[in-house]
Amino acid sequence: MEASNLQAAGTGTKMGAMRGLRPGRFLLDGVLLLLSFLMLTPFLWIFSTSLRLPKDSFSLPPAIFPTAWHIGNYAEVFAKVPFFDFISNSLKICLIIVLGHIFISSMAAFAFSRIAFPGRNALFLIFLSGLMIPGQVTIIPQFILMSKLGLVDTHLALILPGLINPFGIFMIRQTMMSISSAYDEAAYMDGASRIWVFLKVILPMSYPAVAVTSVISFIGHWNDFFRPLIFLNSFEKMTLPIGMTALTGAFGTGNLSAILAGVTLSLIVPLLFYIFGQKYLLDGITAGGLKM
């Protein structure tokens, strides 16, 4: 009898606590939904404007939803610019840079975190100082170098500088530093080579950091406008951000609805890349928050 009374009392206490938390939880959910709507409003306006008639793009007050669904704006994008060529150029450049980043940054991070050599920390600080130098400062030496190598107006002028990612090396190194050295010692005792330890032990445990930096690198180079503007001259070799400027017209008098239709289409690839990498992004954030 006493046990049942205690159980009933415990159940009542839990239900009371749940009732006390429910209004606060509803309020929190409401605030989060409101903030989510405010953050999505610009994207909703871009998408709805891409479906409007050109004359309705500047209506006041601006309407969130289109009054007339005009799909022809998307057809105008493909009619005015070689959109698929821009997409393929950007994809080629970004994917090569990401694959090179995974290979180079992970190996450099492994050397800085697991291999003891003279001057390792000093060299890493010098290397890390590259994060404090804006890209606009180094663009003139890069252009001179690429010009002497004959790589101006080629995609290699964008790919080669993008392969070295100091931020990615730093992030992956920090993750590798948190991995216990007992894994290395156990593998070496079993006769494993250093490259085997890197590929089979340390790198798989660093996948979240590699994924996070890869997504950041992909999005950054996908949206890059400055460097393609400097290095690329041929229209057929242009990446998506700079190629889409053709939709604005010679004096900025282009169809705003068609421009935003192109912007909407350009969001598809990074959105898919983010969706497929979302699991690793969450794992990377969780791992970063649980480091001791």
Side-chain angles (χ1 to χ4, degrees):
M1 181 68 69
E2 292 180 359
S4 59
N5 291 335
L6 290 174
Q7 185 177 4
T11 304
T13 303
K14 291 180 180 179
M15 293 180 63
M18 291 177 63
R19 293 194 195 98
L21 291 174
R22 192 169 296 170
R25 181 60 182 270
F26 285 158
L27 179 62
L28 177 62
D29 291 344
V31 171
L32 292 176
L33 286 174
L34 178 61
L35 292 176
S36 301
F37 177 76
L38 292 176
M39 294 180 66
L40 291 174
T41 299
F43 298 98
L44 179 62
W45 183 84
I46 289 173
F47 177 69
S48 62
T49 304
S50 69
L51 295 172
R52 292 191 182 103
L53 293 171
K55 64 182 181 65
D56 296 331
S57 301
F58 299 97
S59 61
L60 290 176
I64 298 296
F65 300 100
T67 54
W69 300 86
H70 188 61
I71 309 297
N73 294 322
Y74 287 87
E76 184 176 345
V77 173
F78 295 96
K80 285 189 173 182
V81 297
F83 190 81
F84 285 117
D85 291 340
F86 296 156
I87 286 283
S88 62
N89 292 337
S90 293
L91 267 179
K92 182 182 78 172
I93 292 171
C94 292
L95 290 178
I96 293 176
I97 289 177
V98 168
L99 293 176
H101 153 72
I102 294 174
F103 179 73
I104 296 174
S105 297
S106 59
M107 290 188 68
F110 180 80
F112 281 123
S113 61
R114 319 301 287 191
I115 302 176
F117 56 89
R120 181 184 68 172
N121 294 333
L123 182 61
F124 180 71
L125 289 176
I126 295 173
F127 183 79
L128 200 62
S129 63
L131 289 174
M132 297 183 290
I133 303 175
Q136 291 78 4
V137 174
T138 61
I139 195 67
I140 295 178
Q142 284 186 22
F143 184 84
I144 294 174
L145 177 62
M146 295 302 166
S147 178
K148 290 184 178 297
L149 294 175
L151 298 179
V152 174
D153 198 27
T154 66
H155 292 160
L156 282 176
L158 301 176
I159 293 172
L160 292 179
L163 294 177
I164 307 300
N165 187 349
F167 176 75
I169 294 174
F170 170 74
M171 288 289 293
I172 300 173
R173 173 189 178 269
Q174 294 303 107
T175 299
M176 290 183 177
M177 290 284 288
S178 66
I179 300 173
S180 174
S181 59
Y183 294 101
D184 308 54
E185 296 171 359
Y188 288 135
M189 289 178 64
D190 289 339
S193 63
R194 180 168 288 168
I195 189 66
W196 193 94
V197 172
F198 166 68
L199 292 175
K200 299 296 184 179
V201 180
I202 303 300
L203 185 60
M205 299 177 71
S206 306
Y207 274 168
V210 173
V212 169
T213 54
S214 297
V215 171
I216 294 174
S217 177
F218 183 91
I219 299 299
H221 288 92
W222 180 269
N223 295 326
D224 187 16
F225 181 85
F226 177 69
R227 293 173 65 246
L229 181 65
I230 300 296
F231 290 108
L232 299 180
N233 302 320
S234 302
F235 189 66
E236 65 275 6
K237 295 180 181 179
M238 290 182 177
T239 57
L240 189 61
I242 189 173
M244 291 293 294
T245 57
L247 290 174
T248 61
F251 300 100
T253 57
N255 180 359
L256 179 61
S257 298
I259 294 172
L260 294 182
V263 172
T264 303
L265 292 172
S266 68
L267 292 174
I268 295 176
V269 173
L271 182 61
L272 292 176
F273 192 83
Y274 174 79
I275 290 174
F276 285 111
Q278 184 179 16
K279 175 182 180 298
Y280 299 101
L281 286 172
L282 294 176
D283 291 342
I285 296 171
T286 304
L290 295 178
K291 286 180 184 177
M292 300 298 292

